């Protein structure tokens, strides 16, 4: 048997390795449970409220304080978060297309090895004997169906789960907008204490929703996120108080 396609590995080893690689490719920054646009929105809200809160602390320490620069910086940040999320989604989509093209090439040029991989995959599912041979023969007879099976079964990718990059960017844009507006409102009405409280409130809400949707433990998630945010904000507050005499 030739092992050039498997890189000197048995077929079962190649399938396991490819499946692990596919899982890595499928992994999102925000996780795989929540819809991409929702994860982007909630994560963007957390980042944005921290960013705007830090701006308020620095701005409040200036002698000639003006609210206008905060609004300008907030708008710039909103567009940055939306644009960056869209670009990252596009880059990820291009990577998936490359994986598809590579797998298509392998199907066209290494059909015997692909057939052996199919046998390993479906034998692991409990197929055996003539039934296993029939299933493999049916799949091998249709190139499009074979490509879909190999992408989903071998690499662990679910093509229908990937959203359009603009939709994910829109989620990040809306999350940043919500967090920026409410953090600035807290600062406008209650000075930097309001920004601090509104910031922690937004982080609490977004972390709660993320943990709830992804079926993660809610209390540890909230505790960690609020704890990190409190350390960051407190550090900046006391440093600005030290250097700028707030």
């Amino acid at each position: 048997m030739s092992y050039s396609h498997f890189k000197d590995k048995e077929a079962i080893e190649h399938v396991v390795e490819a499946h692990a690689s596919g899982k890595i490719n499928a992994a999102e920054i925000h996780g795989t449970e929540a819809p991409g646009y929702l994860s982007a929105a909630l994560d963007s809200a957390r980042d944005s409220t921290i960013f705007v809160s830090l701006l308020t602390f620095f701005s409040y320490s200036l002698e000639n304080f003006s609210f206008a620069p905060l609004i300008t910086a907030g708008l710039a940040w909103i567009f940055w978060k939306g644009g960056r999320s869209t670009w990252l989604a596009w880059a990820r989509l291009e990577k998936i297309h490359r994986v598809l093209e590579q797998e298509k090439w392998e199907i066209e040029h290494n059909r015997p090895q692909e057939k052996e991989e199919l046998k390993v995959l479906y034998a692991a599912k409990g197929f055996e004997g003539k039934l296993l041979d029939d299933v493999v023969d049916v799949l091998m007879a249709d190139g499009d169906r074979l490509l879909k099976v190999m992408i989903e079964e071998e690499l662990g990718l679910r093509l229908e789960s990937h959203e359009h990059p603009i939709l994910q960017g829109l989620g990040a844009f809306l999350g940043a907008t919500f967090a920026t507006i409410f953090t600035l409102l807290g600062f406008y009405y209650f000075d930097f204490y309001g920004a601090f409280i509104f910031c922690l409130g937004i982080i609490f809400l977004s972390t709660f929703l993320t943990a709830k949707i992804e079926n993660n433990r809610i209390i540890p998630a909230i505790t960690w996120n609020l704890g990190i945010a409190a350390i960051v904000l407190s550090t900046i507050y006391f440093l600005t108080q030290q250097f700028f005499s707030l």
Side-chain angles (χ1 to χ4, degrees):
M1 180 186 299
S2 173
Y3 291 97
S4 60
H5 175 63
F6 299 140
K7 297 180 180 179
D8 297 325
K9 297 182 176 66
E10 294 288 345
I12 187 62
E13 293 177 296
H14 177 76
V15 169
V16 171
E17 183 180 71
H19 187 72
S21 175
K23 287 299 184 184
I24 294 173
N25 288 332
E28 300 279 357
I29 294 176
H30 317 292
T32 57
E33 296 293 333
Y37 68 89
L38 185 56
S39 291
L42 296 173
D43 190 65
S44 180
R46 286 189 289 269
D47 286 348
S48 299
T49 192
I50 287 288
F51 173 75
V52 175
S53 296
L54 297 182
L55 280 182
T56 61
F57 291 0
F58 285 120
S59 299
Y60 200 78
S61 65
L62 301 177
E63 294 182 2
N64 299 321
F65 169 75
S66 174
F67 206 76
L70 283 178
I71 298 177
T72 303
L75 286 173
W77 175 259
I78 289 170
F79 284 108
W80 162 253
K81 289 296 292 183
R84 182 175 182 273
S85 182
T86 302
W87 178 82
L88 289 175
W90 274 115
R92 172 170 171 71
L93 202 58
E94 289 182 0
K95 183 176 182 179
I96 292 175
H97 286 162
R98 289 196 299 272
V99 172
L100 286 172
E101 289 298 324
Q102 179 181 354
E103 188 62 30
K104 184 177 179 181
W105 186 92
E106 290 185 2
I107 289 174
E108 293 174 349
H109 295 82
N110 297 291
R111 292 189 69 82
Q113 289 86 349
E114 293 295 311
K115 185 174 183 179
E116 187 175 350
E117 289 180 20
L118 275 179
K119 284 188 175 181
V120 172
L121 286 168
Y122 281 89
K125 292 176 180 291
F127 292 87
E128 58 184 14
K130 185 177 184 302
L131 179 58
L132 175 60
D133 293 333
D134 290 342
V135 169
V136 171
D137 289 340
V138 168
L139 292 175
M140 293 296 297
D142 187 333
D144 291 337
R145 181 165 50 188
L146 176 60
L147 176 61
K148 185 175 187 297
V149 168
M150 296 306 291
I151 287 296
E152 294 188 350
E153 297 292 343
E154 181 186 8
L155 301 180
L157 296 174
R158 292 295 180 267
L159 302 181
E160 65 275 6
S161 66
H162 300 287
E163 300 167 347
H164 195 283
I166 293 179
L167 181 61
Q168 187 162 326
L170 180 61
F173 179 88
L174 293 177
T177 300
F178 171 85
T180 298
I181 289 176
F182 276 86
T183 305
L184 289 177
L185 285 176
F187 178 64
Y188 181 80
Y189 287 107
F190 307 105
D191 293 332
F192 53 84
Y193 295 110
F196 186 91
I197 294 172
F198 274 57
C199 175
L200 294 182
I202 292 170
I203 291 175
F204 173 89
L205 178 61
S206 61
T207 303
F208 172 82
L209 292 175
T210 300
K212 188 74 174 176
I213 293 170
E214 296 185 347
N215 294 319
N216 291 332
R217 293 185 299 167
I218 295 176
I219 293 179
I222 292 176
T223 301
W224 274 100
N225 278 270
L226 286 181
I228 295 171
I231 291 173
V232 171
L233 296 176
S234 299
T235 300
I236 296 299
Y237 170 73
F238 288 113
L239 286 177
T240 52
Q241 187 179 51
Q242 177 70 30
F243 294 117
F244 298 102
S245 299
L246 272 176

